Amino acid sequence: MPTTELTEEHSMQLVADALVGRIVTAVGSVASIHPVSHTVVDGSIYFRTIPGDKLAALTVNAAVLFEADEIGEGSAWSVIVHGRARRLDDEPDELARISPQLRDPFIRGRRDAVVEVIPESISGRRFEPAEEDDDEVVIEPTD
């Protein structure tokens, strides 16, 4: 499957357009992944959440991964953002600026905590299916 590296700008545009992303946290040797409704504003990724495992993990280790992807009929893409997360609870001016721009979460109910992921590195790839080759030999694994 041919792969094309995407620019950081194009990658972040894809993240901004994606309906759902995933935040990956790690505490010690335990990694967790959580789907989130997110918004990209001024190069940062924001999402709303509730107190729980996600926020507890971010308090212990602010280093996170954020991933978004899409698989379509003729191609697929994946973007991974390495960054640092921070809650905006202690930033009332920034919280007031960002809150009106945030997407509503998929799950109903209050999500009062707002988290910002500040990107440190962005890696995006587009995948396209290879043309079928009648001469190609495919070896299937056996059990």
Side-chain angles (χ1 to χ4, degrees):
M1 183 175 282
T3 303
T4 304
E5 298 286 328
L6 303 174
T7 65
E8 288 187 2
E9 182 179 308
H10 187 194
S11 295
M12 285 303 285
Q13 185 58 55
L14 291 171
V15 169
D17 293 342
L19 295 178
V20 175
R22 284 163 289 286
I23 187 80
V24 181
T25 60
V27 176
S29 62
V30 178
S32 298
I33 187 166
H34 307 273
V36 293
S37 300
H38 63 283
T39 304
V40 175
V41 178
D42 298 332
S44 287
I45 301 165
Y46 297 87
F47 63 91
R48 291 183 177 131
T49 190
I50 58 174
D53 293 345
K54 250 184 308 225
L55 287 180
L58 297 174
T59 301
V60 173
N61 183 4
V64 296
L65 295 175
F66 184 89
E67 194 271 344
D69 56 35
E70 182 176 288
I71 299 173
E73 299 236 354
S75 69
W77 60 263
S78 176
V79 174
I80 298 173
V81 177
H82 293 252
R84 301 204 64 77
R86 70 182 184 112
R87 289 179 67 169
L88 296 185
D89 297 357
D90 297 330
E91 304 286 339
D93 292 340
E94 190 166 357
L95 190 57
R97 179 181 73 87
I98 292 300
S99 289
Q101 300 177 65
L102 295 175
R103 285 187 184 160
D104 291 331
F106 281 149
I107 300 172
R108 291 185 185 185
R110 292 183 63 153
R111 304 278 186 272
D112 291 332
V114 176
V115 175
E116 175 186 19
V117 176
I118 304 161
E120 294 177 344
S121 69
I122 302 165
S123 173
R125 292 181 175 84
R126 182 173 302 281
F127 309 96
E128 309 226 2
E131 296 293 323
E132 295 228 8
D133 185 353
D134 292 335
D135 297 332
E136 183 178 344
V137 176
V138 177
I139 300 172
E140 296 289 331
T142 59
D143 293 323

